[in-house]
Amino acid sequence: MKKFLSIILALTFCFAAFSATAPTASAKSETISENEVKELVVKARDLMMVRYGYYDQEYFDHESDERRKVHLPEYNIDVTYRPVLESALPGGSYAAVCELANETYEAGIASKAYNVVEYPIKDGSDWRLIEFPNFYVDENGKVFACFFLEYCYIGLDPEVPDFISGIRGDSSEASAIITIDSYWGDGPRPDYYFPVECKFVNTPDGWRIAESEFSILFANDQNYLYDYREENPEKVRDDALKLAAAEAKYTVDEIMYAISGMNSYKQDYYEYAQKNGKEFVSILKEIVSDSGEKKTMQYVKASDNMFSPYGGYEEYLEFCVTESTYKLFDRAYADRDFERRITEGRVDYVAVPDSVNFSYDPETAVVKVVESTDKEATAHVYCELIKDGKRIPIYVECKLEKPYAYGRWDVAESPFIDMISSADEFEYTVGEAPSTGDNAFDEIAVCLGGMALVMSVIALIPRKKRETL
């Protein structure tokens, strides 16, 4: 009897475990998988690097004076090509580049991913852009090129939240939303993230990237993507215009970096003065509130030897919030009856709080986008409330706005801003950050829990029989 029950239990367990994973496996088999998407877009990123020679144009053979002049009759222009140092190309040769392109893109657009040069020519009284091949292979198989871009303003980081999302399609065609990392300048907040649609087609050799926002972006630049969206609004997926999870997290991280620096400025300035033999300058300001209460606030000198007031941290903050929101930081965090910055005797001072009532660790914090359009979004920022010496897991609502059709999102007035701009009470919800685990694993865990319960009940059956004999 025990052997029979053991067999039944084993079969039931296997069936339950298979049932937990079968829907996921079946769903993925109907179209492209997330792993296949990731492999293709990372290949596309590697291939994109062929277009960029960086500062020293590393792909050219600078030791050679050899040149090839090629006439393009369709445009009636001559193009000069210089010899390429093939070993510097991704894969170590031009043939490897071509192979990588064919493994990544469908045949019709494979060469566009790395072998296109845009050049302005005059057409009557107007100018227009023409395209021609960047690489030229002569009759002896020697490889030449005419131009490489110096800067790469876009990239991919597969580790960001929701790097791939919204996979849809069937066994022949599919699409997904890919998070793009855009580098737009030096200084505070040099990056931002935005989503694009990447389409795929299933060929006899496997899935390949098809012409779509992703291929246009990686073969040209962001301006071409914006033009494509304006000219083809009906082809743009709604979720490609929404707030990317990575952008929400990155923006909040940058704000918290600025706030942390501003709040620790007093200690940083003190250590700086001690190390460099300078005087630590601070003053106390006293006011009487409307209720007749006397209040005191400490201010420390805004050192011009630490870049700018607060050591330059407030510049990061200014780049991450809306203009009206930034004005909320004119008041001191510890007590909003005081100004944050004052001037005494031609010396600038900044208010410094002794403590804050929240904690945010960018390594473990979660920022979850809960609602978004192409212009406004809401996210939950999971952090900790510091109260009575305890740390309580909470989340606060964070509103974001997109001031321009293309570009980064800014944080607007919301409970999140209340939390970081004032020591007063702010709206929050007590709760742990959502799990980021694998759904299939969670289903199996539920299944195992159910099986444990079944096994416990069955195990009691023989005992109950013995007790009633």
Side-chain angles (χ1 to χ4, degrees), residues 168-458:
R168 62 174 67 163
D170 51 34
S171 59
S172 59
E173 295 181 347
S175 74
I177 299 298
I178 310 299
T179 297
I180 305 297
D181 179 1
S182 176
Y183 176 84
W184 67 282
D186 296 324
R189 199 183 175 191
D191 298 272
Y192 67 92
Y193 296 87
F194 64 92
V196 300
E197 182 186 22
C198 184
K199 294 182 179 179
F200 305 89
V201 60
N202 204 351
T203 74
D205 296 319
W207 287 98
R208 297 291 186 268
I209 295 175
E211 187 170 46
S212 54
E213 292 182 352
F214 183 90
S215 69
I216 291 170
L217 177 64
F218 273 49
N220 297 283
D221 58 37
Q222 287 176 245
N223 292 325
Y224 280 79
L225 171 64
Y226 303 155
D227 291 343
Y228 173 83
R229 285 180 170 179
E230 290 178 356
E231 295 170 4
N232 305 278
E234 74 286 351
K235 295 182 180 180
V236 182
R237 275 180 59 167
D238 289 342
D239 41 356
L241 300 176
K242 296 179 179 180
L243 172 64
E247 170 70 352
K249 178 65 165 60
Y250 176 72
T251 304
V252 171
D253 282 355
E254 289 291 284
I255 289 176
M256 289 304 200
Y257 169 76
I259 294 299
S260 175
M262 291 166 65
N263 290 339
S264 65
Y265 176 76
K266 176 182 176 181
Q267 181 63 28
D268 294 341
Y269 173 49
Y270 176 78
E271 293 176 358
Y272 168 81
Q274 290 286 100
K275 182 179 179 180
N276 293 276
K278 296 181 179 294
E279 180 186 5
F280 176 76
V281 181
S282 70
I283 59 175
L284 291 177
K285 296 293 291 184
E286 186 179 89
I287 64 169
V288 178
S289 66
D290 295 338
S291 62
E293 178 187 4
K294 289 185 177 181
K295 294 183 176 183
T296 302
M297 174 64 66
Q298 182 185 24
Y299 289 82
V300 300
K301 182 182 177 182
S303 173
D304 52 7
N305 290 320
M306 293 184 68
F307 309 112
S308 68
Y310 288 117
Y313 290 107
E314 62 183 356
E315 293 182 13
Y316 283 87
L317 179 63
E318 186 177 9
F319 270 78
C320 294
V321 301
T322 62
E323 184 176 348
S324 61
T325 300
Y326 185 67
K327 293 179 181 178
L328 297 176
F329 293 89
D330 287 340
R331 312 306 298 177
Y333 173 84
D335 192 325
R336 298 188 71 77
D337 284 338
F338 289 89
E339 293 182 71
R340 183 167 64 94
R341 295 175 61 175
I342 63 173
T343 300
E344 291 276 340
R346 296 185 179 181
V347 177
D348 292 331
Y349 294 88
V350 292
V352 288
D354 291 326
S355 62
V356 295
N357 60 353
F358 64 88
S359 175
Y360 179 92
D361 182 355
E363 296 298 322
T364 58
V366 173
V367 179
K368 181 178 177 61
V369 179
V370 295
E371 188 179 2
S372 179
T373 67
D374 60 334
K375 296 182 178 65
E376 299 177 335
T378 302
H380 288 166
V381 178
Y382 289 82
C383 52
E384 291 179 317
L385 174 70
I386 302 175
K387 190 173 185 179
D388 300 327
K390 297 180 180 178
R391 291 174 177 263
I392 305 169
I394 63 170
Y395 70 79
V396 294
E397 185 178 83
C398 179
K399 296 286 188 181
L400 298 99
E401 298 176 358
K402 198 173 186 180
Y404 308 104
Y406 307 109
R408 65 181 192 268
W409 291 72
D410 293 331
V411 172
E413 294 183 43
S414 54
F416 171 72
I417 292 298
D418 293 339
M419 180 182 75
I420 63 175
S421 67
S422 171
D424 297 333
E425 291 294 328
F426 56 90
E427 294 181 8
Y428 62 85
T429 302
V430 175
E432 299 278 355
S435 172
T436 57
D438 183 72
N439 290 335
F441 179 82
D442 293 339
E443 290 178 9
I444 293 175
V446 172
C447 172
L448 289 175
M451 286 304 302
L453 178 62
V454 172
M455 292 175 70
S456 299
V457 173
I458 294 178

